[in-house]
Amino acid sequence: SAAAFLTRALQEERIAKTYLAWVSGAPEPPEGQWTWPLTDVRQDGRVHADPVGRPALTRYQTLETRDGTSLLQLQPVTGRTHQLRAHCAEARCPVLGDKTYGGPLLAKRALLHADTLNLVQSTQGRALLATFAFALLAFFATSLDLSAFAHHSIRLFGALRDWAGPTWFLLTGEFALVL
């Protein structure tokens, strides 16, 4: 079944995921990786950075910084609960709208969304790379409290357009095969 195939691919680490997060502040340095070990979820509903926690690795890159906010591309190498949100908060750049991890409540929900899902499958000695890119603009547009934060939403759309190039509006359901 498709579910069994995807479960096996996740277990064999043949799936790489990236996310976009709109955060308060900016990480230093602008690109790198966070390796803070994380606890299991505690009674406060959060995971915490703790030297005795489970290993967690997130790669990040700052795509745009403006007016005290940044657009980050995040790649979780490990898959801990709340990993991206906890790592952003620990780096002092919490996700906007993330009330659990201290993000400014300038949006109706946390502005963290799947960007791409890459699946590598070897078939008959040939590599198959499938990339799925998800619709981002609609997500951010519906998540923002535009009455309180409209000027930032316009800037985010500009950053996404600049980042993705002239085909930014074609990101929905993109599928690519490389043989």
Side-chain angles (χ1 to χ4, degrees):
S1 75
F5 173 80
L6 288 175
T7 299
R8 191 170 52 256
L10 280 168
Q11 291 169 341
E12 296 170 358
E13 297 181 354
R14 291 185 288 117
I15 293 181
K17 300 173 277 188
T18 62
Y19 294 79
L20 288 183
W22 194 6
V23 301
S24 177
E28 284 296 329
E31 183 174 346
Q33 59 185 29
W34 295 316
T35 58
W36 295 293
L38 299 173
T39 64
D40 290 329
V41 177
R42 294 191 177 160
Q43 287 183 340
D44 64 359
R46 299 175 50 164
V47 300
H48 299 269
D50 189 321
V52 298
R54 296 171 65 197
L57 172 60
T58 301
R59 293 188 180 111
Y60 70 91
Q61 179 180 6
T62 303
L63 302 175
E64 179 79 22
T65 299
R66 290 187 187 177
D67 299 326
T69 64
S70 298
L71 180 64
L72 304 182
Q73 184 177 50
L74 305 171
Q75 180 186 12
V77 177
T78 53
R80 305 285 175 244
T81 301
H82 297 193
Q83 176 177 323
L84 300 178
R85 297 163 61 201
H87 274 172
C88 285
E90 188 68 20
R92 293 184 174 82
C93 51
V95 176
L96 295 178
D98 187 354
K99 63 183 175 185
T100 302
Y101 288 91
L105 299 180
L106 302 172
K108 296 175 186 174
R109 57 173 289 176
L111 295 182
L112 171 68
H113 192 62
D115 179 28
T116 61
L117 174 70
N118 294 317
L119 169 63
V120 177
Q121 173 68 28
S122 180
T123 58
Q124 301 173 348
R126 298 182 341 190
L128 169 69
L129 172 65
T131 300
F132 301 90
F134 302 99
L136 301 172
L137 297 180
F139 166 77
F140 283 121
T142 59
S143 297
L144 289 171
D145 178 358
L146 296 178
S147 64
F149 208 53
H151 65 285
H152 284 286
S153 67
I154 292 167
R155 289 194 170 123
L156 173 68
F157 294 158
L160 286 173
R161 185 193 64 239
D162 294 343
W163 167 67
T167 59
W168 65 274
F169 54 88
L170 298 175
L171 289 176
T172 305
E174 177 185 327
F175 179 74
L177 282 177
V178 179
L179 298 177

